[in-house]
Structure formats: structure tokens, C-alpha cells
């Protein structure tokens, strides 16, 4: 049983973190979705995406769709897309955090990497939404492919790269230092 201890500890940390964060997220969403209003983080994500598009020279704004749990993102006078709860990336951020916690090193290092990773992934997600809205507005024929395949590959690929960085440069180094 001793030989399985690292694997069991990894699974306990991963599943424990994932379940707790998922339940907390569900409790958060349950305050908004039954009332057909977007949650504040989805609204924030949509608003920041509109600001980013404006910065790039596209007249953009987001507004709440009447009695719907999503935001409309308007680009140059036309609704380019809706931004719903799934677009805010919290579900995949939970998976990211659970994996990092599963390979815990020490509190400070783990906490700082999680904060930096969440920041980087938030920026990636905003860039994803901005580019998708550009595509939806000006090259709609590529919209489905970009939304369903290209951008999920980019966002999940970014998470995998961060996981590799965490393992290679932090966990491995930490384990070598503590083995001495």
C-alpha cells in the first residue's frame, strides 16, 4: 500500500479540490441562473472583451439580453455573439487549479502559481472571446470551426502548457530539494 501512497494522495487532492470548487461554483451560479440573469463574472468577462475590442479599434459593447442568462457582445453595430456562463472559463479554471493543488509543493509557491496561471488563462480567454467575435462579425463562415475546434484547442493547450511548466520547473525541483 505504501507504494500507492503518492498516487492516492494525488487523486485525493485532485478530486477533493475539483469537487469542492465545482460545488462552490454551482452554489454561485444557482443565485443567478434561475432568475435568467447572467452571473457577475460572465458579465465582467463580456465587458472586458468589449473593452479589448474597443482598444483594437472596433466599436464594441456588451449588454444584458432581456430575461436571458447571457450577455450580448455587439461589434461595430451588430450582435456578434452571446457570452454565456460557459464562456467565462471558470469550469476549466477549476480543472487547472485542481491539478496544481494535486501536485502541491508548498503553500506560497502553489498559491502564487495558481494566481499567475489564473491571470494568464483569463487573459487567454479574453483574447479568445475577442478573436471569436471578430470572426463571427467579419468572417462568419469560419465561426463554427473556430468556436468548436480551434479555440478550445488553444485554451486547453494553454492549460496543458501551464501544467507542464508547473511539473517541470516547480514540482520536480521541489521534490529533488526535499529528497536530499
Amino acid at each position: 500500500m505504501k507504494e500507492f501512497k503518492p498516487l492516492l494522495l494525488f487523486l485525493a487532492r485532485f478530486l477533493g479540490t475539483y469537487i469542492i470548487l465545482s460545488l462552490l461554483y454551482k452554489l454561485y451560479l444557482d443565485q443567478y441562473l434561475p432568475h435568467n440573469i447572467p452571473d457577475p463574472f460572465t458579465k465582467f468577462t463580456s465587458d472586458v472583451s468589449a473593452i479589448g475590442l474597443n482598444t483594437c479599434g472596433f466599436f464594441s459593447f456588451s449588454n444584458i439580453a432581456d430575461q436571458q442568462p447571457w450577455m450580448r457582445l455587439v461589434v461595430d453595430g451588430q450582435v456578434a455573439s452571446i457570452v454565456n456562463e460557459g464562456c467565462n472559463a471558470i469550469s476549466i479554471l477549476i480543472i487547472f487549479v485542481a491539478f496544481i493543488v494535486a501536485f502541491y509543493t508548498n503553500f506560497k509557491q502553489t498559491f502564487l502559481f495558481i494566481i499567475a496561471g489564473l491571470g494568464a488563462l483569463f487573459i487567454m480567454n479574453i483574447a479568445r472571446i475577442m478573436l471569436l467575435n471578430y470572426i463571427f462579425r467579419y468572417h462568419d463562415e469560419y465561426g463554427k470551426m473556430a468556436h468548436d475546434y480551434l479555440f478550445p484547442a488553444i485554451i486547453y493547450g494553454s492549460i496543458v502548457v501551464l501544467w507542464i511548466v508547473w511539473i517541470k520547473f516547480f514540482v520536480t525541483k521541489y521534490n529533488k530539494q526535499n529528497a536530499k
Side-chain angles (χ1 to χ4, degrees), residues 12-154:
R13 284 184 185 156
F14 180 85
L15 290 174
T17 303
Y18 180 78
I19 290 168
I20 289 168
L21 291 177
S22 294
L23 288 173
L24 289 171
Y25 185 47
K26 183 186 179 328
L27 289 172
Y28 166 78
L29 288 177
D30 285 347
Q31 300 174 57
Y32 304 100
L33 294 180
H35 305 291
N36 269 341
I37 57 173
D39 66 278
F41 195 73
T42 298
K43 183 180 180 326
F44 177 71
T45 301
S46 183
D47 291 344
V48 171
S49 299
I51 290 167
L53 285 162
N54 280 316
T55 302
C56 293
F58 302 98
F59 174 70
S60 303
F61 62 92
S62 72
N63 63 7
I64 297 174
D66 294 332
Q67 296 297 310
Q68 298 298 328
W70 57 70
M71 301 293 295
R72 283 188 291 244
L73 199 56
V74 178
V75 179
D76 288 339
Q78 290 186 3
V79 175
S81 74
I82 61 167
V83 178
N84 64 22
E85 175 271 324
C87 300
N88 69 21
I90 290 180
S91 296
I92 61 172
L93 297 178
I94 288 171
I95 295 169
F96 167 76
V97 170
F99 184 86
I100 300 303
V101 170
F103 279 106
Y104 177 86
T105 57
N106 62 52
F107 178 79
K108 181 180 178 183
Q109 190 171 19
T110 304
F111 179 76
L112 291 175
F113 192 84
I114 287 172
I115 296 300
L118 290 175
L121 291 169
F122 179 75
I123 291 168
M124 285 291 297
N125 190 47
I126 295 300
R128 175 187 77 90
I129 293 169
M130 289 170 54
L131 288 168
L132 274 171
N133 277 277
Y134 172 80
I135 291 168
F136 288 146
R137 176 64 176 87
Y138 296 105
H139 303 284
D140 193 45
E141 66 273 18
Y142 302 112
K144 181 165 177 43
M145 188 270 309
H147 181 271
D148 293 351
Y149 303 107
L150 178 61
F151 287 104
I154 291 171

